[in-house]
Amino acid sequence: MAEHTTVDLPDVSALTIGILGGTGDQGKGLARRFSLAGHTVLIGSRSAERAEEAAREIGVRGATNADVAAEADIVIVAVPWEGHKALLESLREPLTGKIVVDCVNPLGFDKRGAYALPVEEGSAAQQAAAVLTGSRVVAAFHHVSAVLLLDPSVAEIDLDVLVLGDDREATDVVRALAGRIPGARGVYAGRLRNAQQVEAFTANLISINRRYKAHAGIRVTDV
């Protein structure tokens, strides 16, 4: 690895991680990996009962999205795109002052496959920032395969996590968090205004996965 990238990142090992919409495969997969790394992890859902059921599967705690938003030190948004804006509007107060990591991909699907949807604000992450004006919004974890995250036979994830945001301290925290998943690395990939193409690239990865029967990820060279 190139020497110029060995920047000291903060110690994030004590952070409590909350995952909004954590009952889906992506949320459960991230929750599982962060729990294995030693973090206290909270899975959120509109229904506390549904959250607790999903949390039991992977040995973490479940609660309503509102309770998770209030209790967690850092929050990952893993809800379906359709409910993204409304959920964040409802949680503006408990998320104030916190780092909020948006990993939502606004995608549509038809018989030709996956494709990126237009977003008025530019991207899901920019929509989150427009709603959560008191939070530090970072875009990350868009390209992590839920199948690999959930597979107990997969010890390491061969992946660079692209991290975008306007607050360098917040992006450093999220880069460090990505590194808590064995095999993964957080790579700073620009400001939040550049999140659209990162979210949209998920459609390309889905096409790659279908064509090659794979769980493809991204590696960035020379850094």
Side-chain angles (χ1 to χ4, degrees), residues 115-157:
Y115 61 95
L117 296 173
V119 179
E120 183 181 350
E121 296 85 354
S123 66
Q126 287 170 290
Q127 183 182 90
V131 171
L132 303 174
T133 53
S135 303
R136 304 156 76 189
V137 175
V138 175
F141 299 113
H142 302 89
H143 305 145
V144 194
S145 164
V147 173
L148 296 182
L149 289 172
L150 287 166
D151 188 341
S153 72
V154 176
E156 295 193 355
I157 307 290

Side-chain angles (χ1 to χ4, degrees), residues 7-219:
V7 178
D8 288 337
L9 292 175
D11 179 6
V12 296
S13 59
L15 291 181
T16 295
I17 301 169
I19 302 181
L20 305 179
T23 57
D25 285 347
Q26 191 77 8
K28 283 195 294 188
L30 288 169
R32 178 178 176 273
R33 294 289 169 166
F34 286 128
S35 177
L36 287 172
H39 290 273
T40 297
V41 180
L42 312 170
I43 277 182
S45 176
R46 283 178 297 181
S47 157
E49 185 178 355
R50 189 165 173 230
E52 288 162 4
E53 182 181 340
R56 275 195 299 272
E57 293 177 28
I58 49 175
V60 299
R61 286 173 51 207
T64 64
N65 283 322
D67 286 343
V68 168
E71 187 175 340
D73 298 317
I74 185 168
V75 172
I76 297 173
V77 182
V79 297
W81 168 239
E82 294 73 26
H84 181 262
K85 187 173 186 178
L87 175 69
L88 295 182
E89 285 174 340
S90 73
L91 299 176
R92 189 182 282 119
E93 187 176 341
L95 292 175
T96 295
K98 295 187 178 183
I99 296 174
V100 176
V101 185
D102 201 297
C103 69
V104 174
N105 299 306
L107 299 177
F109 297 86
D110 61 19
K111 62 184 178 182
R112 297 167 65 189
Y115 61 95
L117 296 173
V119 179
E120 183 181 350
E121 296 85 354
S123 66
Q126 287 170 290
Q127 183 182 90
V131 171
L132 303 174
T133 53
S135 303
R136 304 156 76 189
V137 175
V138 175
F141 299 113
H142 302 89
H143 305 145
V144 194
S145 164
V147 173
L148 296 182
L149 289 172
L150 287 166
D151 188 341
S153 72
V154 176
E156 295 193 355
I157 307 290
D158 185 16
L159 180 77
D160 283 336
V161 174
L162 302 182
V163 179
L164 301 94
D166 298 329
D167 180 320
R168 185 58 61 92
E169 184 183 23
T171 56
D172 281 353
V173 167
V174 178
R175 285 176 58 213
L177 204 62
R180 301 284 291 167
I181 299 173
R185 178 180 67 151
V187 176
Y188 174 75
R191 292 185 176 269
L192 213 60
R193 68 183 183 181
N194 289 318
Q196 188 274 333
Q197 58 263 37
V198 173
E199 296 171 4
F201 190 70
T202 305
N204 300 84
L205 284 175
I206 290 170
S207 299
I208 291 168
N209 290 338
R210 286 181 174 174
R211 172 65 178 81
Y212 296 100
K213 296 180 173 55
H215 301 293
I218 290 174
R219 280 293 191 197

